[in-house]
């Protein structure tokens, strides 16, 4: 004898989905999205919600097909908040749940993007030539595989002047240095690339330094010979063996030239002095502040190239 099965009207069955969850007001809310579309929406590649959501509804449990009651949504998000805005908040702030294959693919995409960014920003400090993505990848793998024992990488790079008495201070210094343990999917590729560069520069598994910036600096000639008013700045460069100490105060022109590692050309055009040269990225902010302060806004700093490298023939 056939039996009638009552199925709750608020249950919807969905398959092949990526879930985004957000806990708010002691309740956990979920939305069902198409695979790979959440990251595209968050990065701005995809803007149409219809292409992101499998169904424009908020769930208490997607796996059970249980939609969220109106009173629960009103209590958590406010009675006047439209469902569309609630969905957008969950989509932007929620935690994405993905399967193992999707997680691996996402991790691989982020990893490749991080390696490409780093390879374009770091160079061999001697030849100023870029490394291949493969060499950067191997260096990062070397850092992540060492984990907490990464200080061993630095033993072969030391100058040989350390003594046993320096052991304690060396260990403390190692703890403060940046480390690299691999990419994650919860942070942007750009921020992780910065972390990777800091670790590579600190530990030097291969000789690396930041690619220099190419700048054009202009300044009124009437200011050049004036004594610099600001205090001398101490510069620490990644490829310095023992540091140069403080730059001499000198004139405004002397101080500007002190920031420039290599001058490509300089000339006087009318009442303005112009110089094009290469500057370490770490000195860019200090140079900008100095030019702005000393010239009272009459000087200019123009970035011609963010990362100057030499390509192999």
């Amino acid at each position: 004898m056939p039996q009638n099965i009552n199925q709750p009207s608020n249950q919807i069955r969905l398959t092949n989905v990526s879930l985004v969850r957000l806990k708010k007001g002691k309740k956990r809310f979920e939305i069902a999205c198409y695979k790979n579309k959440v990251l595209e929406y968050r990065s701005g590649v995809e803007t149409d919600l219809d292409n992101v959501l499998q169904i424009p509804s908020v769930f208490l449990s997607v796996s059970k097909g249980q939609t969220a009651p109106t009173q629960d949504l009103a209590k958590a998000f406010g009675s006047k908040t439209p469902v569309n805005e609630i969905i957008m908040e969950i989509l932007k702030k929620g935690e994405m749940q993905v399967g193992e294959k999707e997680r691996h693919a996402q991790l691989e995409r982020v990893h490749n993007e991080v390696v490409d960014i780093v390879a374009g920003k770091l160079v061999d400090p001697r030849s100023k030539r870029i490394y291949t993505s493969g060499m950067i990848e191997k260096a990062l793998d070397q850092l992540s595989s060492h984990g907490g024992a990464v200080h061993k990488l630095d033993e072969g790079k030391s100058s040989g002047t350390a003594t046993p008495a320096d052991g304690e201070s060396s260990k403390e210094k190692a703890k403060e240095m940046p480390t690299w343990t691999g990419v994650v999917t919860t942070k942007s590729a750009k921020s992780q690339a910065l972390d990777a560069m800091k670790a590579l520069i600190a530990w030097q598994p291969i000789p690396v330094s930041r690619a220099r910036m190419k700048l054009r600096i202009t300044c009124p000639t009437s200011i050049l010979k004036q004594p610099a008013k600001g205090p001398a700045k101490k510069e620490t460069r990644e490829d310095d063996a023992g540091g140069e100490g403080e730059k001499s105060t000198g004139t405004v022109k002397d101080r500007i030239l002190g920031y420039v590692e290599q001058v490509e050309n300089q000339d006087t055009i009318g009442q303005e002095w112009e110089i094009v040269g290469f500057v370490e990225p770490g000195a860019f902010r200090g140079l900008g502040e100095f030019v702005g302060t000393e010239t009272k806004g009459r000087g200019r700093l123009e970035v011609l190239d963010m990362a100057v490298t030499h390509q192999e023939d």
Side-chain angles (χ1 to χ4, degrees):
M1 183 174 178
Q3 295 179 347
N4 292 325
I5 300 175
N6 293 324
Q7 181 175 352
S9 60
N10 68 335
Q11 287 199 354
I12 302 170
R13 296 291 181 180
L14 294 172
T15 58
N16 194 33
V17 298
S18 287
L19 305 183
V20 180
R21 295 172 179 165
L22 180 68
K23 188 174 182 181
K24 191 166 184 176
K26 297 183 180 180
K27 290 278 187 178
R28 188 183 70 179
F29 301 97
E30 300 179 349
I31 54 176
C33 305
Y34 291 105
K35 290 184 177 181
N36 303 325
K37 285 296 182 179
V38 177
L39 290 177
E40 290 183 8
Y41 179 81
R42 288 179 172 177
S43 64
V45 175
E46 180 61 70
T47 57
D48 190 348
L49 281 178
D50 291 337
N51 295 331
V52 179
L53 301 172
Q54 287 215 12
I55 188 168
S57 298
V58 181
F59 294 80
L60 291 180
S61 174
V62 171
S63 61
K64 296 178 181 178
Q66 184 181 4
T67 56
T70 304
Q71 57 268 31
D72 287 352
L73 294 175
K75 186 175 180 181
F77 297 93
S79 59
K80 296 183 179 180
T81 306
V83 174
N84 207 45
E85 290 186 16
I86 294 174
I87 289 174
M88 290 179 66
E89 182 175 345
I90 297 173
L91 192 56
K92 291 177 180 178
K93 299 180 180 179
E95 180 183 355
M96 186 168 62
Q97 310 293 314
V98 294
E100 189 60 35
K101 288 184 179 179
E102 288 76 21
R103 186 178 293 108
H104 179 74
Q106 181 184 352
L107 200 63
E108 188 175 2
R109 283 196 300 272
V110 175
H111 173 79
N112 291 338
E113 191 174 349
V114 168
V115 170
D116 288 343
I117 294 173
V118 173
K121 298 290 185 182
L122 296 184
V123 295
D124 184 318
R126 294 179 292 271
S127 66
K128 303 300 181 185
R129 295 186 181 277
I130 60 172
Y131 286 104
T132 64
S133 296
M135 295 180 72
I136 292 296
E137 190 170 19
K138 286 181 181 178
L140 289 174
D141 287 345
Q142 189 178 356
L143 286 179
S144 59
S145 63
H146 278 72
V150 71
H151 62 276
K152 291 182 180 179
L153 289 174
D154 201 45
E155 291 176 359
K157 308 292 182 181
S158 62
S159 61
T161 58
T163 64
D166 297 327
E168 291 295 327
S169 60
S170 296
K171 289 180 180 179
E172 290 298 320
K173 189 175 181 181
K175 289 180 181 179
E176 298 175 359
M177 293 175 71
T179 57
W180 176 254
T181 55
V183 299
V184 295
T185 57
T186 54
K187 295 173 64 179
S188 70
K190 185 176 180 180
S191 66
Q192 292 186 80
L194 290 174
D195 292 338
M197 286 189 284
K198 289 177 183 178
L200 286 171
I201 291 170
W203 296 106
Q204 297 285 314
I206 55 176
V208 293
S209 66
R210 286 288 299 270
R212 297 177 301 176
M213 302 174 71
K214 185 176 182 179
L215 306 177
R216 176 185 289 116
I217 309 158
T218 57
C219 180
T221 54
S222 59
I223 299 175
L224 290 180
K225 295 183 180 180
Q226 294 181 6
K229 298 174 183 176
K233 298 199 177 183
K234 189 178 290 186
E235 294 217 2
T236 304
R237 290 182 181 157
E238 296 150 359
D239 53 348
D240 280 346
E244 295 182 0
E246 292 189 356
K247 296 280 182 184
S248 115
T249 50
T251 64
V252 171
K253 182 178 181 179
D254 292 335
R255 286 284 298 279
I256 291 175
L257 289 173
Y259 282 98
V260 180
E261 272 203 345
Q262 180 185 344
V263 177
E264 185 173 87
N265 61 69
Q266 58 176 313
D267 196 7
T268 300
I269 305 172
Q271 301 298 313
E272 283 193 330
W273 173 67
E274 179 182 286
I275 178 173
V276 175
F278 303 92
V279 176
E280 287 288 338
F284 175 70
R285 182 176 179 180
L287 174 58
E289 291 176 350
F290 175 79
V291 171
T293 301
E294 295 293 330
T295 67
K296 297 181 179 179
R298 296 168 63 193
R300 296 188 304 278
L301 201 62
E302 181 183 353
V303 178
L304 302 179
D305 196 332
M306 284 293 296
V308 178
T309 59
H310 293 283
Q311 300 282 350
E312 293 286 354
D313 297 329

